[in-house]
Amino acid sequence: MTRYVFITGGVVSSLGKGLAAAALAALLQARGYKVRLRKLDPYLNVDPGTMSPTQHGEVFVTDDGAETDLDLGHYERFTGVPASKSDNITTGRIYQDIITKERRGDYLGATIQVIPHVTNAIKAFVLDGNEGFDFVLVEIGGTVGDIEGLPFFEAIRQIGQESPRGTCAYLHLTLLPYIPSAGELKTKPTQHSVKELRSIGIQPDLLLCRCDRPIPADERRKLGLFCNVRESAVIEALDVASIYDVPLSYREAGLDREVLDHFGLAPNAEPELGRWRTISERVKNPEGEVTIAIVGKYTGLKDAYKSLTEALTHGGIANNVRVKLEWIESEVFEREDPAPFLEGLHGILVPGGFGQRGAEGKIRAARYARERNIPYFGICFGMQMAVIEAARSLAGIEAANSTEFGDTPEPVVGLLTEWMKGNELERRAAEGDLGGTMRLGAYRASLKEGTKIAQIYGGTEISERHRHRYEVNMAYRECLEAKGLRFSGTSPDGLLPETVEHENHPWFIGVQFHPELKSRPFEPHPLFKSFIAAAVVQSRLV
């Protein structure tokens, strides 16, 4: 029998519902249960693909090509289970499907309303395809009281009413702020949040309270009394040093035990958390430290690079070092010499991005890394800028540029208009929609034997996730390889470039895909593991 845990948030946004869901899933997994995670997003966008990274954060891409919320990245990293397009849905997609059906006449002339049509669509999404799972954890985005979230709260309320008794639980994540002048944690915001939730028909079964200090017994009793939950179901979610301490912290607070108790399940065994303790220990007590510069254009919001920063942490765990990040806005290098910013650092990473802003700064960062023999990792856009830099500086093609920035006589990077996906030809037009039209999801690539990247992967056939609209122009391959920039990996048909590397450099690799999306704390991605290892070597030279 499948059991459902609905995770809602109150008081303020950004409390960490996604991390809470992922950590609870990890604890249930450690007890031997099979768990699925799903995310409901109330915004009207069909998906986050066209949303600004500085507003929404990273777009996480699944193997099957869905552009999803960054919380799905937490789900994958904590459970090791690949997410899919059926694990994330938005108000926009629900309305798009309903309107399409209405235009076709599928509703036979009925008046389309939020109840029952929208709520039924949400319920169908939540309940579909869960056979074989012991627990399905469903996170509702936003904060209780948000007007756009009301259909989702109504839908999960109905699921609770319609499901067999004892198969649904409502976990509400709130904030207990500490007021220094009063010298105490305040419970009133949580009480008001629960009151708001109860006003729409949902009584939380568990309270997960974010706080920076333990909850005193009196406050715990007060929360239980005024929020109508058992005192034992008031769980403190203390601030921790690393997100990989969260499962251990929740275990100590008794979250998993309380969830099982709610469902009438006796603990089958103590959860096996040895690997989480190992990760926690390595993060807290590394043997060394390296400093990596991230030269990007969305550095004002670190969540724009969430999977990237976690993958770098995983690389540090694999090498038992702490990875310190220096965030540098790439536009700075268009006005100033990169040397004062990059001198003494142990690695340079240029991540993905879109548009011309900051592009020249990324090109200058790639040149600095190449000329100073500093480990360089170019991802997607970062690979393209490294190729343009080589074309200008090594091959003498001064006008080398990308058509993404406008017309150019030397289109070293150009718009990708068609490619193979399996046995089917995908086509895109320059004037087409922006949303969902990129090369998205998992694609295979072939690496050349004897190259550095093939050595890192330990093989020549790989599969990685993509999200891009422009490609390096293979017409320039011959002249660039003559100058030492090797096209070390291509699509299986040899038509699309996937990886490049400078042959006479300690570690200079560019990849068109996004390897950070597949990195896990227990299985660090080989490229990040190798990049940090190269940074460790570099740290001994400076």
Side-chain angles (χ1 to χ4, degrees):
M1 179 173 60
T2 302
R3 297 166 177 85
Y4 292 85
V5 180
F6 297 103
I7 299 160
T8 59
V11 184
V12 295
S13 60
S14 302
L15 283 181
K17 293 191 302 298
L19 270 176
L24 176 56
L27 290 174
L28 294 171
Q29 264 191 341
R31 288 185 177 275
Y33 293 106
K34 190 174 181 183
V35 181
R36 182 178 195 179
L37 288 142
R38 313 188 94 165
K39 176 75 184 287
L40 310 178
D41 278 310
Y43 50 74
L44 279 169
N45 304 68
V46 172
D47 59 43
T50 58
M51 297 168 73
S52 168
T54 57
Q55 276 193 26
H56 184 264
E58 161 190 86
V59 174
F60 189 81
V61 179
T62 61
D63 278 338
D64 57 1
E67 294 175 291
T68 69
D69 185 82
L70 63 83
D71 280 330
L72 272 73
H74 290 313
Y75 301 167
E76 284 203 13
R77 286 187 286 273
F78 275 62
T79 67
V81 179
S84 71
K85 62 178 62 178
S86 62
D87 291 325
N88 186 209
I89 199 166
T90 68
T91 298
R93 203 168 110 205
I94 289 168
Y95 274 86
Q96 185 183 58
D97 292 346
I98 289 173
I99 290 170
T100 299
K101 291 178 181 177
E102 186 273 332
R103 293 291 83 188
R104 282 201 309 255
D106 291 4
Y107 294 109
L108 302 177
T111 301
I112 310 305
Q113 297 176 293
V114 172
I115 301 173
H117 299 94
V118 174
T119 51
N120 282 351
I122 295 169
K123 289 191 293 182
F125 172 81
V126 170
L127 300 172
D128 183 55
N130 296 327
E131 300 80 9
F133 290 97
D134 300 305
F135 287 93
V136 175
L137 277 56
V138 183
E139 176 195 349
I140 293 83
T143 306
V144 63
D146 295 344
I147 191 169
E148 62 266 26
L150 288 175
F152 290 93
F153 288 109
E154 172 61 19
I156 65 171
R157 184 197 68 80
Q158 291 181 19
I159 291 174
Q161 288 290 99
E162 297 165 0
S163 300
R165 190 180 299 275
T167 58
C168 292
Y170 298 95
L171 188 158
H172 193 51
L173 180 65
T174 70
L175 175 68
L176 292 186
Y178 178 76
I179 308 299
S181 59
E184 61 183 4
L185 291 168
K186 287 297 184 180
T187 64
K188 193 62 71 176
T190 293
Q191 293 178 46
H192 280 292
S193 180
V194 171
K195 182 180 178 181
E196 182 76 30
L197 193 60
R198 292 172 69 183
S199 73
I200 55 180
I202 296 174
Q203 166 62 52
D205 301 297
L206 302 97
L207 291 180
L208 187 59
C209 303
R210 283 294 305 272
C211 48
D212 63 355
R213 63 202 66 211
I215 305 173
D218 287 345
E219 275 69 18
R220 193 185 295 268
R221 280 193 294 271
K222 183 190 291 187
L223 284 168
L225 178 64
F226 286 100
C227 296
N228 196 31
V229 299
R230 293 190 309 276
E231 187 179 331
S232 63
V234 178
I235 310 294
E236 59 187 20
L238 292 168
D239 295 344
V240 291
S242 161
I243 64 171
Y244 300 114
D245 289 330
V246 174
L248 298 173
S249 177
Y250 286 2
R251 169 69 187 118
E252 186 176 346
L255 176 61
D256 55 328
R257 290 194 304 270
E258 197 63 32
V259 168
L260 294 178
D261 184 63
H262 170 82
F263 290 112
L265 297 173
N268 50 3
E270 285 300 301
E272 177 49 60
L273 298 174
R275 62 178 190 168
W276 286 102
R277 294 189 182 93
T278 299
I279 293 295
S280 177
E281 180 63 24
R282 286 203 172 190
V283 171
K284 289 176 183 174
N285 299 300
E287 294 179 353
E289 180 178 278
V290 297
T291 304
I292 304 296
I294 297 182
V295 183
K297 58 189 294 184
Y298 313 120
T299 57
L301 181 68
K302 305 302 187 290
D303 273 357
Y305 301 111
K306 190 61 183 174
S307 290
L308 186 68
T309 58
E310 294 308 316
L312 288 166
T313 298
H314 305 161
I317 291 170
N319 289 279
N320 208 9
V321 295
R322 177 180 290 111
V323 178
K324 180 182 176 183
L325 302 180
E326 288 286 337
W327 297 91
I328 302 174
E329 184 69 33
S330 59
E331 284 183 285
V332 171
F333 293 166
E334 297 177 0
R335 304 185 300 270
E336 301 182 43
D337 181 7
F341 297 88
L342 299 176
E343 193 170 4
L345 302 187
H346 309 130
I348 297 170
L349 191 151
V350 176
F354 297 91
Q356 188 169 10
R357 181 178 68 83
E360 292 297 325
K362 293 185 177 186
I363 291 171
R364 295 191 72 184
R367 179 171 184 174
Y368 183 91
R370 178 180 59 80
E371 292 179 341
R372 303 294 182 94
N373 282 335
I374 298 172
Y376 176 88
F377 195 0
I379 295 176
C380 196
F381 194 80
M383 166 179 154
Q384 297 170 7
M385 297 305 100
V387 173
I388 290 174
E389 189 281 320
R392 293 178 184 177
S393 303
L394 299 178
I397 308 172
E398 295 182 5
N401 219 324
S402 170
T403 59
E404 184 175 1
F405 312 146
D407 293 334
T408 172
E410 298 287 356
V412 172
V413 176
L415 180 69
L416 180 67
T417 57
E418 59 181 50
W419 62 88
M420 295 300 296
K421 186 174 181 67
N423 295 321
E424 296 182 5
L425 180 66
E426 297 271 341
R427 288 192 174 92
R428 299 291 185 269
E431 65 277 6
D433 291 344
L434 294 180
T437 60
M438 289 182 277
R439 190 176 185 222
L440 292 165
Y443 286 85
R444 292 185 299 111
S446 299
L447 308 178
K448 281 189 176 180
E449 290 187 8
T451 58
K452 181 180 287 291
I453 196 166
Q455 178 186 355
I456 291 169
Y457 273 99
T460 57
E461 298 299 320
I462 63 172
S463 174
E464 293 284 1
R465 297 177 188 177
H466 294 64
R467 183 177 183 251
H468 59 99
R469 188 173 282 109
Y470 291 81
E471 290 271 5
V472 172
N473 189 340
M474 291 288 269
Y476 291 86
R477 177 177 182 172
E478 186 175 340
C479 69
L480 288 170
E481 288 197 325
K483 298 299 181 180
L485 182 67
R486 190 172 188 182
F487 284 58
S488 51
T490 65
S491 57
D493 58 14
L495 299 179
L496 301 177
E498 292 281 8
T499 73
V500 297
E501 59 187 66
H502 276 291
E503 295 179 302
N504 300 316
H505 191 284
W507 208 102
F508 193 110
I509 290 175
V511 297
Q512 186 57 72
F513 44 82
H514 288 269
E516 70 272 19
L517 299 177
K518 295 180 71 172
S519 188
R520 311 281 184 267
F522 311 112
E523 297 180 61
H525 193 284
L527 283 173
F528 285 91
K529 182 178 178 180
S530 178
F531 177 58
I532 298 303
V536 171
V537 173
Q538 180 69 18
S539 71
R540 297 171 184 151
L541 301 177
V542 296

